Amino acid sequence: MSRSPYLVNRAFRTFAVSTILAVMATSLGVVVNGMIVGNMMGSAELSAVNLVSPLIQLYNALTALVCVGGATLCAVLVGKGKEGETGRVFAICMALTLAMSIALTALGAASPGSVASFLCSDEDLLPLVTDYTRVALLGSAAYLFLPGLAMFARVDGSPRSATFALAGANIISPLLCIVLVHEGAGITGASAAVVIGYSIGTVALIARFFRTRSTTLFRPEKGGAIHIPALLSLGAPVALASAMMVVKMLCMNGMTLHYLGASGMATMAVAMNVLMLASMLIGGTCQTVQPIGGTLYGSGDVEGISMLTRLVSKVLLVSLGAIVAVVMLVPGVFCVMFGVTEGDLLASSEDALRMFAPCILLYGVNYAMMILFQVLGHRHVAIVISVLQPLFVIATAAVLAPVDGDLIWPSFWIGEAVMLAGTALISVAMRRRDESLQGFLLGRKPEIPTLAVSVKGDLTDLEESMDAMAAFMESCGIERTRVEKARLCCEELASNISSHGLGSDPDRWMDLVVRGGDEPSVLIRDDGPLFNPMTFDGEGIGLQIARGMCGSMAYSRAMGQNNVRFTFRDGRSRKPPSDRP
């Protein structure tokens, strides 16, 4: 019985846009600010904005640690049928985000100069960096809450709300930046424009959570502290990657100022902004994997994770390859975009970008592997990648830059290539140690026997799917009477979903994930509109009979898809199935 990638692809397409926008929320404002500041104020101000980018990257790390981890945990809980815990996770994540915002705001009010001095060693640029940093610290709540709330809105099945809030913030910020810089507010106005735009987006999302009464996942509840270790563990790889990016930016900025001077710093600003533009696609695509992969992992759907992996690989290789080609062919376009137009500086920057460009593709591959290792349960490997990836780049530059300052630029992709080779060696070593691990990403079969099949929306292949399900359950030692009850329940639910959720459309599919173990269960997933088949029975009593045959039955709406799970307690026979007829 074949498995259709329809639902996995549909979930990815649905949530990729809003996730990319979520990443843009903490990156695009700085990039567009760099464009506006570079063109309206000059290369010194552009360098100052780039020098503050490690602080913005730190915000990314904090958001990832708490909210990416929390949203991924919620997806895993939904996949396991524990939707009742998601409200507690949401509440504790918001409390932690508020605490971090208060601490950062206090730092901005008390000592922005010390933070600016840490970011910048150039006395001429320090006043500009201080002005930008002060506002960014005072407005830290907007930087943290906007992408964090967007992550939970997506898991709750409301990607449009996240998209509108994030898009609005990233439209308001540059427009306001132009106005404030034109009116003489300088670099302080440029920083304030981002904070104001993100604040408006944050208020819009907060209103959404108060306004929406139908949400099944995020009604805040007490008792979420028990989930802190789990959510921090899930968020740690992405958070560490963002934190180490801060270290990489600081070190590379310092070496650039030392070996190439102020002109080199302007070139570095262009290179980092180009990487940040690509990182929006990289981070957004990979963070889409986390909640979708978490839901698939929680339900034991290993085949679904494989489908997701292939899709993500194709998207990143094609899109990042195109970006690298454009940067290699027309680097001057990006230089002019950020206000680097002087003759000699423009020529040297073009050469530098060509040497830097391959790093974009290699960085994306390494980052994607980190996320996929995390989803597949190999968090220690993900953490190793998140820590070593920037350190290899820094170490390469530290060796090559003293020889020739311009070797800083190829150091980026050489370090990424070393990381890729190191990951390959780790994968080989782990497969030799544990024969149950398979493939480069070390996939492992679920401990509980699991079968996943797809059924067309018009149910033309329902009989074949039910035969496959019954054969699988019997092979797991589940007694025949329980198997027949599971079959009847599936047929009844599939009929309701087909008629009232999918409109009997043969081009749409529903997935059935069947798990054995001590408490056999069946999960039916579809991408129809909000529709709870448990509450619809038409003129018959089919669902009443189905509920009577189940040990439990539950419905949830997550990732834009309907999920119905039912279990059969005491569903295993005391004796294993016999080979005799």
Side-chain angles (χ1 to χ4, degrees):
M1 184 67 199
S2 61
R3 169 75 180 279
S4 170
Y6 171 81
L7 284 178
V8 173
N9 292 350
R10 184 66 181 269
F12 181 85
R13 288 195 302 269
T14 300
F15 289 92
V17 173
S18 63
T19 310
I20 290 170
L21 283 171
V23 175
M24 288 169 61
T26 49
S27 302
L28 186 60
V30 177
V31 173
V32 176
N33 262 16
M35 294 180 187
I36 295 170
V37 169
N39 284 280
M40 295 183 67
M41 300 182 69
S43 59
E45 286 79 3
L46 171 63
S47 297
V49 173
N50 184 68
L51 286 166
V52 181
S53 59
L55 175 63
I56 309 306
Q57 194 65 38
L58 176 62
Y59 293 163
N60 291 350
L62 295 175
T63 302
L65 182 63
V66 175
C67 293
V68 171
T72 304
L73 176 59
C74 288
V76 173
L77 291 171
V78 169
K80 292 182 176 181
K82 298 180 179 180
E83 295 87 352
E85 293 295 313
T86 54
R88 294 186 175 91
V89 175
F90 175 65
I92 195 63
C93 286
M94 292 301 100
L96 291 172
T97 302
L98 179 60
M100 292 187 299
S101 301
I102 292 172
L104 289 166
T105 300
L107 182 61
S111 186
S114 60
V115 177
S117 297
F118 182 75
L119 297 171
C120 175
S121 60
D122 189 294
E123 293 184 1
D124 294 332
L125 294 174
L126 185 58
L128 295 171
V129 174
T130 302
D131 289 342
Y132 199 101
T133 300
R134 180 184 294 108
V135 178
L137 286 169
L138 292 174
S140 59
Y143 279 101
L144 297 179
F145 272 104
L146 178 58
L149 287 169
M151 291 168 192
F152 285 101
R154 292 196 314 273
V155 177
D156 198 32
S158 299
R160 286 187 178 182
S161 298
T163 300
F164 288 148
L166 294 164
N170 285 290
I171 290 171
I172 292 170
S173 294
L175 293 177
L176 190 57
C177 181
I178 294 172
V179 172
L180 291 176
V181 171
H182 183 267
E183 292 299 317
I187 201 166
T188 299
S191 186
V194 180
V195 172
I196 294 170
Y198 291 0
S199 297
I200 293 172
T202 301
V203 171
L205 278 179
I206 291 174
R208 180 261 171 198
F209 279 97
F210 278 104
R211 183 176 65 252
T212 304
R213 302 294 184 184
S214 61
T215 177
T216 58
L217 299 180
F218 300 125
R219 296 188 179 109
E221 299 178 21
K222 296 180 180 179
I226 192 174
H227 291 294
I228 290 178
L231 70 90
L232 293 183
S233 175
L234 286 168
V238 179
L240 270 174
S242 295
M244 291 304 296
M245 179 65 79
V246 174
V247 175
K248 183 170 78 171
M249 287 179 172
L250 289 171
C251 292
M252 299 305 282
N253 285 346
M255 282 188 277
T256 301
L257 282 171
H258 180 74
Y259 291 108
L260 298 176
S263 61
M265 196 63 237
T267 303
M268 179 63 77
V270 177
M272 288 297 97
N273 276 294
V274 170
L275 182 60
M276 196 172 291
L277 286 170
S279 294
M280 296 177 198
L281 176 63
I282 297 167
T285 301
C286 292
Q287 287 184 30
T288 301
V289 172
Q290 288 181 296
I292 298 175
T295 302
L296 295 171
Y297 182 79
S299 62
D301 190 355
V302 175
E303 187 179 0
I305 292 177
S306 297
M307 292 176 176
L308 183 63
T309 299
R310 290 193 293 271
L311 176 61
V312 170
S313 300
K314 185 186 300 183
V315 168
L316 286 179
L317 289 175
V318 172
S319 58
L320 295 180
I323 293 173
V324 171
V326 172
V327 175
M328 294 282 284
L329 291 171
V330 287
V333 170
F334 297 94
C335 296
V336 173
M337 187 184 300
F338 291 95
V340 176
T341 57
E342 298 89 344
D344 292 341
L345 180 57
L346 176 60
S348 64
S349 295
E350 288 178 336
D351 292 339
L353 284 179
R354 287 192 177 96
M355 290 187 282
F356 171 83
C359 146
I360 296 171
L361 179 59
L362 291 169
Y363 170 75
V365 170
N366 282 324
Y367 192 93
M369 287 194 304
M370 178 193 71
I371 298 297
L372 291 168
F373 276 121
Q374 179 200 20
V375 168
L376 289 169
H378 303 294
R379 292 193 189 107
H380 57 295
V381 180
I383 289 173
V384 167
I385 296 174
S386 67
V387 173
L388 292 184
Q389 184 181 12
L391 291 182
F392 281 139
V393 174
I394 295 169
T396 304
V399 171
L400 297 180
V403 178
D404 184 342
D406 286 332
L407 291 178
I408 284 176
W409 312 115
S411 296
F412 281 94
W413 66 261
I414 294 172
E416 296 290 350
V418 172
M419 183 69 256
L420 183 58
T423 304
L425 292 176
I426 292 173
S427 178
V428 170
M430 291 185 66
R431 287 200 305 273
R432 287 179 177 175
R433 187 183 307 169
D434 187 347
E435 294 182 356
S436 67
L437 300 177
Q438 301 174 348
F440 187 88
L441 295 173
L442 308 175
R444 189 196 301 270
K445 291 183 179 180
E447 296 180 2
I448 299 175
T450 304
L451 171 72
V453 296
S454 299
V455 180
K456 287 185 176 181
D458 61 358
L459 302 184
T460 53
D461 57 352
L462 179 62
E463 189 70 21
E464 183 182 358
S465 299
M466 293 299 97
D467 289 344
M469 183 187 77
F472 170 76
M473 295 182 76
E474 289 184 4
S475 72
C476 292
I478 301 171
E479 58 190 31
R480 191 176 298 275
T481 56
R482 299 285 183 178
V483 174
E484 289 302 320
K485 290 179 180 181
R487 181 171 186 146
L488 288 173
C489 287
C490 281
E491 290 175 345
E492 184 64 35
L493 288 168
S495 177
N496 274 318
I497 292 169
S498 173
S499 300
H500 306 286
L502 303 182
S504 300
D505 187 346
D507 294 326
R508 300 174 70 177
W509 298 76
M510 66 185 84
D511 283 352
L512 276 67
V513 181
V514 189
R515 305 187 74 181
D518 295 332
E519 187 179 62
S521 68
V522 180
L523 170 68
I524 303 180
R525 181 182 293 126
D526 71 88
D527 72 326
L530 183 64
F531 173 72
N532 186 348
M534 292 168 52
T535 63
F536 183 89
D537 204 12
E539 298 178 355
I541 59 172
L543 280 174
Q544 294 180 23
I545 295 174
R547 284 193 290 269
M549 291 188 293
C550 298
S552 65
M553 184 180 287
Y555 167 81
S556 67
R557 175 84 176 179
M559 302 303 298
Q561 298 179 355
N562 299 301
N563 298 270
V564 181
R565 181 191 301 274
F566 51 94
T567 64
F568 295 89
R569 297 188 180 93
D570 300 321
R572 292 181 59 86
S573 58
R574 294 184 179 180
K575 296 180 181 180
S578 173
D579 292 331
R580 289 186 242 171

